[in-house]
Amino acid sequence: MGLFTRRTQDRTAVAATPAVDPALAALTGDYAIDPAHSSIGFTVRHAMVTNVRGSFGDYTGSLHLDGSDPSRSTASIDVKIASVDTGIADRDAHLRGEDFFSAEDFPVMSFRSTEAARVGGNTYRITGDLTIKDVTRPLTIDLEFNGSATDVYGSERVGFEGSSEILRSEWGLTWNAALEAGGVMVSDKVKLTFDISAVKQG
């Protein structure tokens, strides 16, 4: 079952009319991302042979879901750069420093959606503006809707997971080091991952 509008067509193929599932329409509303049950992470190739994984532990976000019309759905996320965590303190300090994020001067990485659409099945596509440091560029995220549920505290939740790939150099994150055997220390390509649980407000 998808999150948003399904379309059906009569047997004569004369016209297509929206078929809105009342259960999905009931999900329409404003949601706050729950950081305690969500994760925003990244994966990047290191020294050409292995992957380094990290995450951000401090962020806020909101969603507006329209269960009848996905194009009216929106998403907004603000991530505190200082919360980056790869499991190695020295590496995290390097990421926060001037070679990468310059966290003191640019403490927040943000995403603001500009477009939303259902791709098919339970898959949705959110397009928006990702700002890192002083650079804003478009980002498209494909998300899988994992469903909705009422938790033990009576809060209504929805869940999504998805990913996107970016070239960090397009946001001015260009630091690197050459390897003696050829290649570079850090790949330009970075995979962003999202596992989101959001609670309905009001």
Side-chain angles (χ1 to χ4, degrees), residues 88-164:
I88 303 294
D90 288 346
R91 183 165 57 205
D92 296 343
H94 191 196
L95 290 172
R96 289 191 292 266
E98 293 183 1
D99 283 342
F100 287 96
F101 288 111
S102 299
E104 287 191 6
D105 295 324
F106 306 98
V108 177
M109 172 174 61
S110 66
F111 176 79
R112 299 289 184 270
S113 68
T114 57
E115 184 179 352
R118 180 185 179 214
V119 178
N122 289 332
T123 303
Y124 300 86
R125 182 164 292 155
I126 299 291
T127 300
D129 294 324
L130 175 65
T131 300
I132 302 175
K133 299 174 76 170
D134 56 353
V135 179
T136 300
R137 294 183 56 84
L139 174 69
T140 296
I141 307 168
D142 286 340
L143 294 166
E144 190 79 8
F145 174 56
N146 289 334
S148 64
T150 301
D151 64 23
V152 295
Y153 302 106
S155 298
E156 186 173 2
R157 291 178 177 268
V158 292
F160 296 88
E161 62 180 314
S163 63
S164 184

